[in-house]
Amino acid sequence: MAASSTRRTVPSASRTGRTRSSASCSAAAAAELGYTQSAVSRQIAGLERQLGVPLVRRHARGVRPTPAGEVFRHHALVVLNEAERALRAVREMRDGTLSRPLAVGATPSLAAGIVPAAIGRLLDRAAPLRWSLLPGLSEQLHDRVIAGDLDVAVVTDAPPGLPNDPRVERRFLGMDEMVVVLPAGHPRAGRGPVHIQELADQTWVEDNDGSAALLHQHAARAGVTARIDLTAADLPGKTALVATGHAIALIPEVLTCALRTDVTTVALVDPPTRGIYAITPRRDPHPSAGLLLDQLATAFGPPSSRPRHAPAD
């Protein structure tokens, strides 16, 4: 069958395939779709002919998706979700209720507290606003702003730093000191600022290259080596390894308000720091982006109270 014919058939068959894959029998799928059972079966059979593989496996109690059917269902969900968003946007425009969602990105430590709190303050002061929050690493978030996927990204200049990109506006928000997170029963828990030399014999865990670079640089300045023997996939995994006594870790101070209760933190003498920035696209900025940046800036105090810092580019 021609490719154009396949493209015409796939959207409606996608909805059928998605529903039938999630339903245990043809009758249930037909009822959900508002079709007859035979119509559902014909659509599935037609799609299987076009693709050349079976999508469902029939058995006495109904149907189950084949591996190919599971792959198709995954992609069909994406197509159908986008189609439903398009229909909703057109209806909102028709009814005069269209509002552009505010897409926000933030590094995981900032997405854990400061950024959602700023969005909350914005919503308290502004008209109703649809929004989303995507956690990610600074480099990834920068690329999403350039691609038009994000209206605001709250990022840091931790290694490898932020690029000087003329396509984005960059606003300095404040400085963040790094602290050490320890198991609650650690011998140094509850003490004042410690020198990194006191922790040189400890096992460390890290979850990204930027944080590891800050730790190595800080230790090198003190003439010691930090032994990073464990790696975690993300911040929750990192703090879980700390909580269970396997390691200690360097984390941003902004994260301390969202830490689990079975860990604690201790400050470092002359700690490593990172600058926090908000980036927005120069072209077509979101009408509410500036208001959100103002709320983010309040979380770090007035500019006069912030330490002087040269951004790492």
Side-chain angles (χ1 to χ4, degrees), residues 110 114-115 118 121 154-156 171-177 253-254 274-278 293-307:
L110 294 161
I114 281 184
V115 173
R121 291 192 298 272
V154 190
V155 298
T156 81
R171 178 171 171 178
F172 175 68
L173 297 174
M175 292 295 296
D176 185 28
E177 293 185 349
E253 189 176 33
V254 295
R274 59 182 194 163
I276 298 177
Y277 297 82
L293 299 194
D294 292 341
Q295 294 303 324
L296 287 166
T298 64
F300 295 93
S304 60
S305 70
R306 303 174 199 160

Side-chain angles (χ1 to χ4, degrees), residues 16 22 69-70 80 89 101 124 143 174 213-214 256 272:
T16 303
S22 60
E70 287 289 358
L80 292 171
D124 288 341
D143 292 344
L214 286 175
T256 56

